[in-house]
Amino acid sequence: VDDNAPEATIAYTGPVYREESRTYINGNSEVSGGYRTMVKVVAEDGTGSGNSASSIRIDSGAWNAYTGQFGIPSEGAHKVEYLAVDNIGNISEMKMENVTVDNTAPVSGISMGDPKRDLGSGVTGITIKTPLVLSAGDTKSGTKAIEYRVDGGLVRQYAGEFLLDESYAEGLHEIRHWSTDNVDNVETEHVVQMKLDKNYPIVVFNSPYKGEGIWSYVAGKVKIIATVQDSKLDWYMAEFGVGETPGTYT
């Protein structure tokens, strides 16, 4: 005598991310066929008469016989319902799972703190003290990781702001960065160019000037002429004055 209904559960192969009340899967198709995440119904009848059939329906549509694992390509939220029947007609409890299909990669970006300067043509001038910050957003399953590499070097997982420090040569550098979400959608990498300046600018007094190391003595008001030289980024501010209260010259 078999009075017990079989037990039906839902399982996934491929990328899956679970939250308390929702499951995220990847509905993009594979080159080899099928989808990144495949859904299957598993029925167990223990010592009973054995499972005869399972049925599914999606988004309150028609019930269909379960014939094997399947994918859900349509991006967005779905409701998957399923049940099983054993060989003498005992029907399992109908179960439901909220499934969101996420087919879209997250979007990452880079921000640069100060000091920095826009040099044009998509290049930003920075120094060894300029903090570089990566961030990413994903509206469905969420961001799992941000990765980057500098000048074609090793791929690094982003863990917080970083610098192009003294170990990097002066001049032009390239940072490539991308992000991955919790169901393995990978963003197309972004390429950012920056020019690293490790040297301070030089202030040259042109007038009044008596020669290097020689003081110029003046009386009353005097016009001071100076130039600022920087071979990497060009200068944009100089300070001057007497004592501890410099003015600003641009």
Side-chain angles (χ1 to χ4, degrees), residues 18-228:
R18 294 183 184 272
E19 291 183 343
E20 184 176 349
S21 59
R22 183 160 296 278
T23 299
Y24 294 88
I25 65 173
N26 192 322
N28 286 306
S29 58
E30 293 277 30
V31 175
S32 58
Y35 299 91
R36 295 288 306 280
T37 306
M38 300 295 285
V39 185
K40 59 182 179 180
V41 176
V42 179
E44 297 288 344
D45 196 36
T47 60
S49 60
N51 183 61
S52 172
S54 299
S55 297
I56 59 166
R57 69 174 177 178
I58 300 174
D59 297 332
S60 302
W63 282 97
N64 292 291
Y66 175 73
T67 58
Q69 63 180 5
F70 60 95
I72 305 175
S74 179
E75 189 165 42
H78 300 278
K79 182 173 68 174
V80 179
E81 296 172 292
Y82 55 97
L83 54 80
V85 181
D86 69 14
N87 284 310
I88 59 173
N90 292 310
I91 302 174
S92 72
E93 174 189 3
M94 185 187 72
K95 296 181 180 179
M96 186 271 291
E97 184 148 344
N98 291 312
V99 176
T100 293
V101 177
D102 181 0
N103 296 335
T104 304
V107 178
S108 65
I110 188 169
S111 61
M112 304 171 209
D114 291 322
K116 65 177 182 294
R117 191 176 187 190
D118 183 2
L119 302 180
S121 301
V123 179
T124 302
I126 65 169
T127 76
I128 59 174
K129 295 182 178 180
T130 304
L132 306 175
V133 178
L134 295 172
S135 60
D138 188 274
T139 60
K140 292 183 174 64
S141 64
T143 303
K144 179 169 65 175
I146 305 172
E147 295 173 294
Y148 71 99
R149 61 181 176 181
V150 181
D151 298 333
L154 294 175
V155 174
R156 304 176 184 178
Q157 186 157 317
Y158 178 71
E161 71 174 44
F162 61 99
L163 307 171
L164 295 190
D165 58 22
E166 289 282 5
S167 65
Y168 291 92
E170 274 201 315
L172 196 64
H173 294 275
E174 182 180 85
I175 293 180
R176 294 175 178 263
H177 64 88
W178 61 94
S179 57
T180 305
D181 68 17
N182 282 304
V183 291
D184 293 349
N185 291 303
V186 181
E187 178 187 22
T188 300
E189 65 181 26
H190 301 273
V191 181
V192 180
Q193 290 187 322
M194 51 196 70
K195 193 173 186 180
L196 180 63
D197 183 2
K198 296 165 64 174
N199 293 312
Y200 295 105
I202 299 172
V203 179
V204 178
F205 284 93
N206 306 108
S207 176
Y209 183 66
K210 296 294 184 181
E212 187 173 353
I214 302 175
W215 289 91
S216 293
Y217 294 93
V218 296
K221 293 182 179 181
V222 63
K223 183 177 181 179
I224 297 175
I225 301 174
T227 56
V228 183

